[in-house]
Amino acid sequence: MVRMKGLFCRLSDSEEVKFVIQETDVPTTIGNHQVKVQVKGCALSPVDTKLYNDLKLQRDTAPVGREIVGTVRQVGPKVTFFQPDDEVVGILPLDTEVSGLCSTILIHEQLLVPKPEKVSWVSAAGAVRDGLRAYTALHTLAHMAVGQILLVLDGASPFGVLAIQLAHYHGIKVLATAHSPDDLKFLEQLRPSVGTRESLLARVIGVWDAKVDLVECCLEETGGLGVDIVIDAGVKLYDEEPESQQKQQLPHKHEIITLLGVGGHWVTMENNLQLDPPDTHSLFLKAASLSFLNDEVWTASAAREGRYLHILRDVMEKLSTGTFRPLVEEPVPLYEATVSMEMVQKKQVRKRVVVQL
C-alpha cells in the first residue's frame, strides 16, 4: 500500500454532501489482469448518493472522480490489451475504493480503451461517460433510426450536447430545450464541424420563458404527429410539487406523454417516476415505450463487457474525427478539486476536469 491524495464525499447528518481531499491507501501489488495507470486527468460529474445507498455501497466516505485518462506504467502478467506507455481512458467501477484523482491507480484492463493520439487528455476524460450515456440512450434504449425526430431536454448540458451530436450524425432531426438565454445562444451556434454553416438543431425551445409552451412547439415542429424520441433531464411528477429554479424548467410527465408520437420512445433519468393509470393508458394507445437511463448497468454484468468496450472505443473514435466535441470548462489543478466538485454537484458549472500537473 502507498498513501496518495484523492477526492472523497461523505454525507453529514443533514444529508448534505461534503467533499474533501484526503490521503488514502492505494494498492501497489498488481493483479493478473490489472493495469497501473498514471492519471493525467479526471472528469468530475455529480455524485448520485442515493444510488450508493440503494446498492448498499455507502461507506463513511465514497471516492469521487471516476472518468480517468492516463498513461500505462505497468501491466499484470496476463494483460493482453495494453503495454507500458499506452495512453488509455476509462471509467472506474461504482464500487471502487480509489479516487480517480490519485496520481496512480490500478484498474482492470477490461475497463479501459486506448485514447487516440490526436485527442487531448481533457477532451477524453470529459467525454467518456457522457458519450457512453448518449449511446445508451439513443442506441440501446431508443433504437434510433434515420429520419426520426428527437427532443433533448436541457440540450446545453454536457450529456445533452453529445446526444445532439450523435443523433445528428445518424440523420436524426433534433429539437432541444434551453434553460437560459445563454444556453439558447450556445445551442443555436452548434455546428456539425468547425467552419460549417449548417446547424445541428432544427429548433431550440427556451423553456425559461413562461410564455413558451413545450408541447405546442413540438407538435408545431412535427406537424401535429409528435416526436419519436424524448430524452428528459428529470420531470415534475405533480402540479403542486414545490419548485426550485431548476425544477421549474422541467416538464411535467403529462407534457412528455402528450408530445410523444405513435410508437415513440421516452428515455427518462427520473429514478422516482410514478405513472398513474391514465398515463399508462395514454402510452398504451400510442404503443409508446418507456426506458430508464442508468449507464452504471454496463459494468454490472460480465456479459456486457464486449458491448461496453465497443461503445467506449467508438466514443473515442468520434472524438478523434470531430463528430463529438464535448462541453468542458477550463481544467483545474488538484487543489481546486473540492470547490469545483461542489459547484458541479450543485450544477453551477457544467463539467470540470482535474489535471495532474
Side-chain angles (χ1 to χ4, degrees):
M1 293 282 188
V2 63
R3 301 286 288 180
M4 292 186 187
K5 287 184 177 180
L7 183 63
F8 295 82
C9 73
R10 59 189 178 200
L11 291 174
S12 65
D13 294 336
S14 63
E15 296 299 309
E16 182 183 354
V17 182
K18 300 285 187 182
F19 297 99
V20 293
I21 293 178
Q22 63 184 38
E23 288 195 341
T24 183
D25 291 324
V26 178
T28 55
T29 304
I30 194 166
N32 284 335
H33 293 279
Q34 284 187 317
V35 175
K36 179 180 286 186
V37 176
Q38 181 182 351
V39 178
K40 297 292 186 180
C42 177
L44 302 178
S45 296
V47 176
D48 186 350
T49 54
K50 185 177 186 303
L51 185 59
Y52 277 89
N53 288 326
D54 290 343
L55 298 178
K56 312 299 182 187
L57 295 175
Q58 186 62 50
R59 302 176 285 268
D60 291 339
T61 59
V64 175
R66 295 168 47 216
E67 302 135 73
I68 60 102
V69 62
T71 304
V72 174
R73 289 300 175 218
Q74 185 182 351
V75 298
K78 294 186 179 180
V79 170
T80 57
F81 291 167
F82 303 104
Q83 56 188 8
D85 296 327
D86 284 349
E87 296 181 346
V88 295
V89 59
I91 305 173
L92 297 176
L94 192 63
D95 61 352
T96 183
E97 296 184 359
V98 177
S99 167
L101 276 74
C102 293
S103 59
T104 304
I105 61 171
L106 295 179
I107 182 172
H108 196 284
E109 64 172 330
Q110 294 282 5
L111 297 174
L112 296 170
V113 296
K115 181 189 78 67
E117 186 177 350
K118 64 167 64 174
V119 175
S120 71
W121 300 115
V122 173
S123 293
V128 62
R129 185 173 180 186
D130 289 317
L132 172 68
R133 297 179 80 199
Y135 265 82
T136 305
L138 291 171
H139 283 294
T140 308
L141 301 178
H143 306 291
M144 67 175 172
V146 176
Q148 289 184 321
I149 301 176
L150 163 70
L151 171 63
V152 179
L153 299 170
D154 192 12
S157 67
F159 162 72
V161 169
L162 294 194
I164 290 167
Q165 292 169 348
L166 181 62
H168 184 273
Y169 175 81
H170 286 283
I172 307 294
K173 179 180 178 180
V174 188
L175 316 177
T177 63
H179 286 185
S180 70
D182 288 341
D183 285 354
L184 181 130
K185 183 178 179 181
F186 166 76
L187 289 171
E188 288 181 335
Q189 293 175 345
L190 281 180
R191 297 291 182 266
S193 60
V194 177
T196 60
R197 298 178 63 87
E198 176 193 5
S199 176
L200 279 174
L201 290 157
R203 183 167 182 174
V204 182
I205 304 167
V207 294
W208 78 89
D209 186 346
K211 298 176 183 177
V212 173
D213 188 309
L214 177 63
V215 174
E216 184 179 305
C217 291
C218 291
L219 294 180
E220 177 184 308
E221 197 64 39
T222 60
L225 298 178
V227 301
D228 299 295
I229 304 169
V230 179
I231 304 177
D232 70 37
V235 297
K236 285 188 289 190
L237 301 179
Y238 305 105
D239 292 327
E240 66 274 10
E241 200 171 0
E243 296 183 349
S244 64
Q245 174 95 20
Q246 294 174 343
K247 201 76 171 176
Q248 285 176 0
Q249 297 171 346
L250 295 179
H252 195 281
K253 58 183 178 179
H254 297 147
E255 291 181 286
I256 293 183
I257 294 172
T258 302
L259 61 81
L260 197 62
V262 172
H265 300 272
W266 175 10
V267 180
T268 184
M269 299 186 196
E270 185 60 59
N271 58 6
N272 290 320
L273 182 65
Q274 300 176 43
L275 298 180
D276 300 317
D279 301 327
T280 56
H281 186 64
S282 295
L283 291 172
F284 166 77
L285 292 176
K286 294 184 176 186
S289 64
L290 170 65
S291 302
F292 291 88
L293 179 55
N294 176 13
D295 55 280
E296 300 292 355
V297 299
W298 287 107
T299 54
S301 170
R304 288 177 165 260
E305 279 182 357
R307 175 67 175 158
Y308 172 68
L309 292 176
H310 172 77
I311 292 174
L312 294 191
R313 289 191 188 98
D314 208 44
V315 170
M316 290 300 111
E317 173 64 22
K318 284 183 168 50
L319 268 177
S320 67
T321 59
T323 301
F324 278 162
R325 284 174 282 105
L327 176 59
V328 183
E329 299 194 18
E330 285 295 314
V332 297
L334 178 61
Y335 63 82
E336 292 185 19
T338 302
V339 174
S340 293
M341 188 61 220
E342 289 172 352
M343 296 173 71
V344 168
Q345 188 74 14
K346 296 174 183 177
K347 298 183 179 179
Q348 295 172 344
V349 296
R350 294 296 194 178
K351 194 86 170 183
R352 283 277 169 88
V353 174
V354 177
V355 292
Q356 299 282 2
L357 301 176

